[in-house]
Amino acid sequence: MAERRKLRSEAWFGGSSKDAFMHRSWMKNEGLPSDLFDGRPVIGICNTWSELTPCNAHLRDLAERVKRGVYEAGGFPLEFPVTSLGESNMRPTAMLFRNLASMDVEESIRANPIDGVVLLVGCDKTTPSLVMGAASCDLPTIVLSGGPMLNGDYRGEKIGSGTVVWRYHEEVKAGRMSVESFLAAEAGMSRSAGSCMTMGTASTMASMVEALGIALPDNAALPAVDARRNALAQLTGRRIVKMVHEDLVLSKILTKTAFENAIRVNGAIGGSTNAVLHLIAIARRIGVDLTLADWDRCGRGVPTIVDLQPSGRFLMEDFCYAGGLPVVMRMLAEKGIIDRDALTVTGQSVWDNVNTAENFNKEVIRDFDQALAPEGGIAVLRGNLAPNGAVLKPSAATERLMVHRGRAVVFESIEDYKKRIIDPDLDIDASSVMVLKNCGPRGYPGMAEVGNMGLPPKLLAQGVEDMVRISDARMSGTAYGTVVLHVAPEAAAGGPLALVREGDMIELDVPNRRLHLDVSDEELERRRGSWRAPEPPNSGYQSLYVSNVLQADEGADFGFLQGRRGAGIPRNSH
Ligand code: FES
């Protein structure tokens, strides 16, 4: 008979040494019976529950469901908290803390007697930060998302998280909606537990982990308050115990193929541009070479077939009832767009997981010949304005602006933008190109979600609905518009964006993936002579962040965090 594989946790809990006594004895103050320490898999439930992260405020309940499953399968569950990043409250931006939270996750896992991990995530940055940290450890790992809120509802209109805020706010600025009506929509937008129910960053990342194969099927779309989400949690608990026995570590699932599948799924769902940063960062943690070029290559020709806001009409609850992500993955697999043989946490292939999925609403999940947008992938633009790349989401942009030449109206910072955009004398018209600097990883710092700058009120009042906007910032996954983001290198790192001046002509050519500043190289060199880098913060976490953060095209991780360090057993100092 094959000898049982020794579990990592036995280095803490196994045997009769003084150390084992100490490790077990203190744990027993939680009322845990002795047989839990008999060599069964210890499952860490890594929880981002927090009342300051409203989208994850229900995760302690979900953790209890996971524990049921772990116990049923013969495991020993131990829940632990990690830094929770709440998108709606954290300032200056939750992204500033993504890498910090990932360090917390990685070190918490490695330092403790854990054999397998369940990552409880939800709000935007909680998913990538936990997956990044876990990837560096490479234990058996499974992700469980908290699920989206129920559809927003206000005065009979289905309203989507975030997306409606941008739209209503522009209505107020244009004088078409009263402030009272605007404020009354607050409670209607967020009427149940869960994360944003548009295809924003949270839903995109919940879909990405399902597409990568590191979450169970249906993880993305089941609403937070749907009883089936609780059942999924229990199944997740059961499955992680088996994954430990099978030694099914993350790196066996997170292959280059898995990332290529996820990029293609992102195109089909009209997912957030934030996924570009997060997937590149996760890939570099696990040791997969994923670049912006992969995003452009894999996304090309993938139509957006899921009709969800902000690109389309419906919301995550509708997506769930239509059949959810398994339907999309089945359609893509049948067309040969994604690799059906990729391994997943079920221990089976993508195709095994999705081949029975059925589409119950073809308005929500459309046939390919009825696609919402023929080009759903993320367009990666290059040129003298973005030598290392910039991104644009075609499905959220305006077709007639995809090839555009216009005069730059330049904002040196977000504060400069806020001050001048309301000026009725601002020299700007609908053909202008709005340029925002110093909002990238180093510049803001943290790469704020301000790239979808609101249009000038005077143009909104004229009925202008979209303009070309360019920045080194990010954009909320719930936002839309012809918005060029993640320009690399960023202005604060001395990228050409820093050298743009008012009145320069800029050419955007999405079909040819080109972003060009119509200024000679000699003139740009001359301007560079007078450019000064902004003063970096001189202490605290922001100083660590600015000195170590990589540019957007490299995932904006810290350079020193890249790579898989494994979960070797640390020394014991008792
Ligand atoms: Fe938390 Fe959108 S603010 S998911």
Side-chain angles (χ1 to χ4, degrees):
M1 207 169 98
E3 214 181 300
R4 185 176 70 82
R5 199 169 50 84
K6 201 164 169 12
L7 294 176
R8 186 173 180 271
S9 58
E10 291 180 69
W12 280 259
F13 296 145
S16 52
S17 67
K18 168 190 71 101
D19 289 347
F21 175 99
M22 290 175 73
H23 292 131
R24 288 191 301 258
S25 173
W26 264 278
M27 289 299 289
K28 284 179 178 176
N29 81 355
E30 296 181 48
L32 301 168
S34 293
D35 59 5
L36 287 178
F37 301 92
D38 62 2
R40 64 189 72 194
V42 177
I43 304 302
I45 302 174
C46 180
N47 202 341
T48 50
W49 167 86
S50 166
E51 288 180 341
L52 284 166
T53 306
C55 314
N56 296 18
H58 62 300
L59 292 188
R60 292 224 60 215
D61 298 337
L62 216 51
E64 292 304 318
R65 303 291 178 154
V66 174
K67 287 179 197 171
R68 278 191 199 181
V70 172
Y71 280 125
E72 281 171 348
F76 173 14
L78 291 168
E79 183 185 352
F80 65 101
V82 287
T83 310
S84 182
L85 307 178
E87 197 68 27
S88 56
N89 285 324
M90 289 192 91
R91 297 183 182 186
T93 167
M95 182 64 177
L96 177 64
F97 310 106
R98 184 198 64 175
N99 303 343
L100 178 69
S102 79
M103 291 164 77
D104 178 4
V105 173
E106 177 183 347
E107 301 306 331
S108 295
I109 292 172
R110 188 178 297 111
N112 279 297
I114 290 172
D115 300 307
V117 199
V118 177
L119 306 177
L120 287 190
V121 300
C123 197
D124 298 14
K125 306 300 174 294
T126 57
T127 305
S129 59
L130 268 60
V131 178
M132 286 162 69
S136 285
C137 289
D138 200 25
L139 287 176
T141 302
I142 188 166
V143 183
L144 176 66
S145 304
M149 290 185 254
L150 296 176
N151 288 349
D153 184 280
Y154 178 60
R155 296 186 178 168
E157 189 192 355
K158 250 184 207 180
I159 57 172
S161 316
T163 305
V164 79
V165 183
W166 319 125
R167 185 157 62 77
Y168 280 0
H169 192 230
E170 300 211 327
E171 296 280 299
V172 173
K173 281 200 284 183
R176 290 190 290 266
M177 184 181 203
S178 71
V179 172
E180 291 70 31
S181 301
F182 176 63
L183 297 179
E186 279 174 12
M189 188 182 80
S190 310
R191 63 191 188 89
S192 84
S195 50
C196 291
M197 87 310 269
T198 40
M199 188 51 83
T201 305
S203 298
T204 299
M205 290 310 296
S207 301
M208 289 297 89
V209 291
E210 189 173 334
L212 284 165
I214 57 173
L216 290 180
D218 292 322
N219 175 69
L222 281 171
V225 296
D226 193 307
R228 291 169 291 182
R229 172 74 52 187
N230 286 338
L232 189 74
Q234 194 163 337
L235 293 173
T236 298
R238 288 183 194 167
R239 183 62 202 143
I240 186 65
V241 177
K242 296 211 173 71
M243 285 172 67
V244 171
H245 290 308
E246 294 161 7
D247 196 26
L248 185 49
V249 295
L250 262 185
S251 58
K252 291 183 184 170
I253 299 171
L254 288 179
T255 59
K256 179 94 180 211
T257 302
F259 286 98
E260 290 173 342
N261 277 355
I263 291 171
R264 290 174 173 128
V265 168
N266 189 69
I269 63 175
S272 160
T273 46
N274 281 323
V276 178
L277 295 163
H278 300 326
L279 258 56
I280 290 176
I282 293 166
R284 285 172 165 233
R285 290 295 187 101
I286 203 77
V288 167
D289 180 24
L290 191 74
T291 64
L292 276 183
D294 292 314
W295 273 91
D296 201 66
R297 173 179 59 83
C298 296
R300 272 194 201 240
V302 179
T304 301
I305 52 172
V306 177
D307 190 347
L308 253 61
Q309 296 179 29
S311 299
R313 294 174 292 165
F314 297 97
L315 296 168
M316 288 301 285
E317 194 182 340
D318 307 307
F319 186 36
C320 171
Y321 304 150
L325 201 69
V327 174
V328 176
M329 292 185 69
R330 176 182 179 171
M331 290 171 70
L332 296 177
E334 280 173 341
K335 272 245 177 216
I337 294 175
I338 60 170
D339 187 323
R340 56 172 75 191
D341 296 327
L343 179 65
T344 74
V345 282
T346 60
Q348 297 185 301
S349 70
V350 163
W351 184 245
D352 292 330
N353 290 346
V354 304
N355 68 66
T356 56
E358 277 185 77
N359 187 350
F360 300 110
N361 188 335
K362 290 198 172 187
E363 278 197 76
V364 178
I365 306 174
R366 300 178 176 208
D367 286 333
F368 286 109
D369 58 2
Q370 300 290 318
L372 185 67
E375 279 291 335
I378 302 287
V380 177
L381 310 165
R382 290 181 201 274
N384 68 346
L385 190 47
N388 295 346
V391 303
L392 176 138
K393 182 175 167 180
S395 66
T398 302
E399 187 57 40
R400 75 183 158 75
L401 290 173
M402 301 288 247
V403 178
H404 182 79
R405 180 179 161 90
R407 190 175 56 87
V409 175
V410 179
F411 304 100
E412 294 295 328
S413 66
I414 191 65
E415 290 73 26
D416 181 37
Y417 159 79
K418 284 182 181 161
K419 196 165 75 195
R420 291 170 52 219
I421 197 68
I422 49 176
D423 181 354
D425 296 327
L426 181 68
D427 184 12
I428 192 168
D429 62 34
S431 70
S432 302
V433 173
M434 296 167 67
V435 175
L436 175 63
K437 302 179 184 177
N438 295 310
C439 290
R442 284 197 222 169
Y444 191 70
M447 213 180 170
E449 285 188 336
V450 293
N452 58 313
M453 293 164 264
L455 305 186
K458 68 175 182 181
L459 296 184
L460 286 170
Q462 290 168 18
V464 176
E465 289 182 342
D466 195 8
M467 288 168 66
V468 174
R469 290 158 268 181
I470 299 174
S471 74
D472 45 15
R474 295 178 302 120
M475 169 172 88
S476 163
T478 61
Y480 50 86
T482 310
V483 186
V484 177
L485 303 154
H486 307 188
V487 169
E490 64 174 304
L497 186 69
L499 310 178
V500 183
R501 292 197 181 156
E502 196 87 4
D504 288 347
M505 295 305 288
I506 293 179
E507 291 167 15
L508 170 68
D509 181 351
V510 180
N512 289 306
R513 303 295 195 256
R514 185 161 174 268
L515 183 64
H516 181 70
L517 176 64
D518 200 359
V519 175
S520 69
D521 291 348
E522 297 72 37
E523 170 61 13
L524 289 177
E525 267 321 297
R526 205 178 54 74
R527 291 182 190 179
R528 182 170 297 287
S530 55
W531 178 78
R532 295 284 166 272
E535 242 351 90
N538 60 10
S539 69
Y541 171 69
Q542 290 205 8
S543 151
L544 173 92
Y545 183 91
V546 169
S547 11
N548 290 283
V549 72
L550 301 172
Q551 289 294 286
D553 60 302
E554 300 174 298
D557 198 0
F558 292 156
F560 68 88
L561 288 177
Q562 295 186 108
R564 182 172 11 133
R565 287 166 282 283
I569 295 160
R571 284 185 296 174
N572 182 12
S573 61
H574 294 314

